Amino acid sequence: LTESEKDGLRQAVDRKEKFTVDYSTLKSSPDDAIALIVDLVTLAKRDNVFHVTERMFIRQIGKILGFSDTELEDAMAVGI
């Protein structure tokens, strides 16, 4: 990201604005796509409660990235 993009992102977060993320750009980079799913699962489980809404969000992103239901279930089943 450019410095301008970083500043815009920081400002949007500070204002609690919603913004769209194009996750499909990671489809061409399987390692990055897997890393994102692992990071999302790790973050979701951080409070020791894996909420259904967190699972649904991870599934939604996983589908955009081309993961199968089985692959996503396997990723979410890992005890991180």
mmCIF file of all heavy atoms in Angstrom, residues 2 10 38 47 51 54-55 59 66 69:
data_model
loop_
_atom_site.group_PDB
_atom_site.id
_atom_site.type_symbol
_atom_site.label_atom_id
_atom_site.label_comp_id
_atom_site.label_asym_id
_atom_site.label_seq_id
_atom_site.Cartn_x
_atom_site.Cartn_y
_atom_site.Cartn_z
ATOM 1 N N THR A 2 0.363 2.257 -0.660
ATOM 2 C CA THR A 2 1.063 3.534 -0.635
ATOM 3 C C THR A 2 0.791 4.212 0.711
ATOM 4 O O THR A 2 -0.133 3.825 1.437
ATOM 5 C CB THR A 2 0.574 4.457 -1.760
ATOM 6 O OG1 THR A 2 -0.785 4.804 -1.503
ATOM 7 C CG2 THR A 2 0.717 3.798 -3.124
ATOM 8 N N ARG A 10 -6.340 4.016 7.777
ATOM 9 C CA ARG A 10 -6.319 4.391 9.199
ATOM 10 C C ARG A 10 -7.488 5.311 9.546
ATOM 11 O O ARG A 10 -8.155 5.139 10.564
ATOM 12 C CB ARG A 10 -5.007 5.087 9.549
ATOM 13 C CG ARG A 10 -3.843 4.162 9.716
ATOM 14 C CD ARG A 10 -2.605 4.914 10.232
ATOM 15 N NE ARG A 10 -1.418 4.183 9.898
ATOM 16 C CZ ARG A 10 -0.573 4.485 8.916
ATOM 17 N NH1 ARG A 10 -0.753 5.549 8.169
ATOM 18 N NH2 ARG A 10 0.479 3.745 8.682
ATOM 19 N N VAL A 38 -5.821 -19.020 7.957
ATOM 20 C CA VAL A 38 -5.215 -19.408 9.239
ATOM 21 C C VAL A 38 -5.231 -18.226 10.203
ATOM 22 O O VAL A 38 -5.589 -18.376 11.382
ATOM 23 C CB VAL A 38 -3.774 -19.938 9.027
ATOM 24 C CG1 VAL A 38 -3.044 -20.083 10.359
ATOM 25 C CG2 VAL A 38 -3.810 -21.269 8.293
ATOM 26 N N ASP A 47 -10.243 -15.435 21.805
ATOM 27 C CA ASP A 47 -10.956 -15.262 23.075
ATOM 28 C C ASP A 47 -11.520 -16.579 23.614
ATOM 29 O O ASP A 47 -12.321 -16.589 24.533
ATOM 30 C CB ASP A 47 -12.071 -14.223 22.932
ATOM 31 C CG ASP A 47 -13.151 -14.629 21.939
ATOM 32 O OD1 ASP A 47 -13.027 -15.699 21.301
ATOM 33 O OD2 ASP A 47 -14.122 -13.869 21.792
ATOM 34 N N HIS A 51 -17.298 -18.025 17.690
ATOM 35 C CA HIS A 51 -18.692 -17.675 17.434
ATOM 36 C C HIS A 51 -19.146 -18.117 16.043
ATOM 37 O O HIS A 51 -18.346 -18.163 15.103
ATOM 38 C CB HIS A 51 -18.887 -16.160 17.550
ATOM 39 C CG HIS A 51 -18.582 -15.634 18.909
ATOM 40 N ND1 HIS A 51 -19.492 -15.653 19.928
ATOM 41 C CD2 HIS A 51 -17.452 -15.078 19.417
ATOM 42 C CE1 HIS A 51 -18.943 -15.123 21.011
ATOM 43 N NE2 HIS A 51 -17.705 -14.772 20.733
ATOM 44 N N GLU A 54 -18.329 -15.679 13.369
ATOM 45 C CA GLU A 54 -16.932 -15.738 12.944
ATOM 46 C C GLU A 54 -16.742 -16.877 11.946
ATOM 47 O O GLU A 54 -16.062 -16.715 10.925
ATOM 48 C CB GLU A 54 -16.016 -15.932 14.151
ATOM 49 C CG GLU A 54 -15.998 -14.728 15.080
ATOM 50 C CD GLU A 54 -15.337 -14.990 16.411
ATOM 51 O OE1 GLU A 54 -15.403 -16.140 16.922
ATOM 52 O OE2 GLU A 54 -14.753 -14.037 16.965
ATOM 53 N N ARG A 55 -17.364 -18.010 12.242
ATOM 54 C CA ARG A 55 -17.283 -19.165 11.334
ATOM 55 C C ARG A 55 -17.891 -18.813 9.973
ATOM 56 O O ARG A 55 -17.346 -19.152 8.926
ATOM 57 C CB ARG A 55 -17.978 -20.380 11.922
ATOM 58 C CG ARG A 55 -17.300 -20.932 13.175
ATOM 59 C CD ARG A 55 -18.092 -22.095 13.764
ATOM 60 N NE ARG A 55 -18.037 -23.263 12.918
ATOM 61 C CZ ARG A 55 -17.040 -24.155 12.926
ATOM 62 N NH1 ARG A 55 -16.035 -24.019 13.768
ATOM 63 N NH2 ARG A 55 -17.060 -25.181 12.120
ATOM 64 N N ARG A 59 -15.964 -18.697 6.417
ATOM 65 C CA ARG A 59 -16.489 -19.503 5.305
ATOM 66 C C ARG A 59 -16.717 -18.631 4.062
ATOM 67 O O ARG A 59 -16.390 -19.036 2.942
ATOM 68 C CB ARG A 59 -17.808 -20.156 5.709
ATOM 69 C CG ARG A 59 -17.762 -21.648 5.814
ATOM 70 C CD ARG A 59 -19.169 -22.178 5.981
ATOM 71 N NE ARG A 59 -19.534 -22.355 7.362
ATOM 72 C CZ ARG A 59 -19.150 -23.354 8.111
ATOM 73 N NH1 ARG A 59 -18.382 -24.274 7.621
ATOM 74 N NH2 ARG A 59 -19.536 -23.458 9.358
ATOM 75 N N GLY A 66 -11.794 -19.661 -3.091
ATOM 76 C CA GLY A 66 -11.839 -20.937 -3.813
ATOM 77 C C GLY A 66 -11.642 -22.179 -2.973
ATOM 78 O O GLY A 66 -11.429 -23.262 -3.517
ATOM 79 N N ASP A 69 -15.712 -26.612 1.122
ATOM 80 C CA ASP A 69 -16.278 -26.695 2.470
ATOM 81 C C ASP A 69 -15.400 -27.559 3.371
ATOM 82 O O ASP A 69 -15.166 -27.219 4.526
ATOM 83 C CB ASP A 69 -17.695 -27.268 2.425
ATOM 84 C CG ASP A 69 -18.701 -26.292 1.844
ATOM 85 O OD1 ASP A 69 -18.482 -25.069 1.947
ATOM 86 O OD2 ASP A 69 -19.711 -26.749 1.285
#
